[in-house]
């Protein structure tokens, strides 16, 4: 059996390692695919790896046929909407079973001051209404939505340097999670942050910023996740996804 994992997340790496380790099913071939948007991606310790796009749903369907893929797991970022839609279309085209691995979304707790929005332009408008020193952790690809805010200062954290257009007043912090609570507390304090803007990515690696914001009384502008393709079969944990794959091997 040949399993293709659309990856780039912690869960995707853990899944590939779980399915290629000592307890892996006999005869299971695992290939992890990374989009190649990060200069130095973290690679899974087991299985084969390919880097780069497929050329849309048609290209992915062709790759699935040519490489005789028997099952497909979409373990991409919760905001990789285009990739997830393309995976669903390609899987239907070639009649390959598809599972979506998605970590649960974050849930507010007492004391949180969350302002949910549907997209980045709405996040920009909401953040500017709430403050002027904005900690932006939405990734390097979406800064254009904030570029018109000339009277606000931004701390932008991303793995790779952001690409223009960018807000005129910003400081870039190149870093990669997981982040600690003490580190996030210090970051908010040192930079006098009065608004945090982030996507509802879920997971533990970047969640400490939410706790630090709650403790400091900093409002959070939270961009809601895009919807999954209709009819998606979803696993919430690596263990669930690994069980799904083993049953098909």
């Amino acid at each position: 059996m040949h399993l293709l994992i659309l990856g780039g997340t912690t869960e995707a790496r853990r899944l590939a390692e779980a399915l290629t380790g000592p307890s892996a099913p006999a005869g299971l071939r695992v290939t992890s695919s990374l989009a190649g948007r990060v200069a130095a991606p973290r690679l899974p310790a087991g299985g084969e790896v390919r880097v780069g796009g497929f050329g849309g749903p048609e290209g992915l369907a062709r790759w699935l046929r040519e490489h005789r893929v028997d099952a497909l797991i979409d373990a991409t970022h919760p905001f990789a909407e285009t990739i997830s839609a393309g995976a669903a279309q390609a899987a239907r085209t070639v009649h390959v079973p598809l599972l979506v691995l998605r970590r649960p979304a974050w849930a507010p707790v007492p004391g949180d001051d969350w302002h949910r929005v549907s997209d980045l332009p709405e996040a920009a408008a909401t953040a500017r209404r709430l403050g002027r020193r904005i900690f932006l952790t939405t990734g390097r690809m979406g800064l254009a939505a904030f570029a018109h805010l000339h009277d606000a200062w931004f701390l932008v954290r991303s793995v790779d340097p952001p690409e223009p257009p960018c807000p005129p007043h910003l400081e870039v912090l190149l870093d990669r999670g997981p982040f600690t609570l003490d580190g996030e507390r210090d970051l908010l304090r040192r930079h006098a942050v009065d608004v945090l803007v982030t996507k509802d990515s879920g997971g533990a690696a970047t969640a400490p910023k939410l706790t630090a914001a709650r403790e400091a009384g900093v409002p959070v502008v939270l961009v809601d996740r895009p919807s999954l393709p209709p009819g998606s079969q979803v696993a919430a944990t690596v263990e669930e996804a690994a069980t799904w794959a083993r049953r098909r091997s």
Side-chain angles (χ1 to χ4, degrees):
M1 173 184 167
H2 187 190
L3 170 68
L4 176 64
I5 301 173
L6 302 180
T9 60
T10 300
E11 290 80 10
R13 289 192 300 275
R14 288 179 53 208
L15 177 61
E17 290 159 7
L19 293 173
T20 56
S23 61
L28 175 59
R29 175 188 175 194
V30 176
T31 300
S32 295
S33 176
L34 308 181
R37 293 180 178 175
V38 177
R42 290 176 175 170
L43 303 179
E48 304 169 32
V49 178
R50 69 171 301 279
V51 178
F54 293 96
E58 296 80 7
L60 176 55
R62 183 167 55 252
W63 199 94
L64 295 174
R65 287 195 194 97
E66 292 175 352
H67 293 81
R68 299 182 180 182
V69 172
D70 301 291
L72 175 63
I73 295 182
D74 172 10
T76 56
H77 192 276
F79 282 82
E81 184 177 10
T82 301
I83 297 175
S84 292
Q89 181 178 332
R92 288 194 301 269
T93 299
V94 298
H95 306 290
V96 167
L98 167 66
L99 178 73
V100 180
L101 172 56
R102 283 292 182 274
R103 68 186 80 134
W106 288 316
V109 301
D112 281 325
D113 181 11
W114 287 7
H115 301 257
R116 289 191 173 274
V117 296
S118 59
D119 55 27
L120 290 177
E122 187 181 356
T126 304
R128 181 57 192 86
R129 176 171 55 83
L130 294 171
R132 293 194 177 187
R133 296 187 64 81
I134 302 169
F135 182 22
L136 191 58
T137 65
T138 55
R140 67 186 178 94
M141 306 294 287
L143 295 188
F146 302 84
H148 66 287
L149 298 179
H150 292 261
D151 58 348
W153 176 88
F154 290 86
L155 175 64
V156 174
R157 183 166 68 191
S158 62
V159 176
D160 291 324
E163 300 175 355
C166 298
H169 308 295
L170 82 164
E171 178 176 336
V172 176
L173 176 61
L174 299 181
D175 204 355
R176 190 199 307 253
F179 302 105
T180 67
L181 179 55
D182 284 343
E184 300 293 64
R185 287 168 174 157
D186 180 66
L187 202 63
L188 296 184
R189 182 174 59 252
R190 279 191 294 112
H191 294 280
V193 169
D194 55 17
V195 186
L196 167 64
V197 180
T198 191
K199 294 178 177 178
D200 191 1
S201 302
T206 60
K209 63 190 173 189
L210 301 174
T211 303
R214 180 172 65 250
E215 293 176 351
V218 171
V220 177
V221 180
L222 194 68
V223 183
D224 284 330
R225 296 177 174 189
S227 299
L228 289 172
S232 296
Q233 183 178 355
V234 182
T237 67
V238 170
E239 292 72 21
E240 290 178 31
T243 298
W244 182 89
R246 289 189 182 103
R247 286 174 178 167
R248 283 158 178 76
S249 63

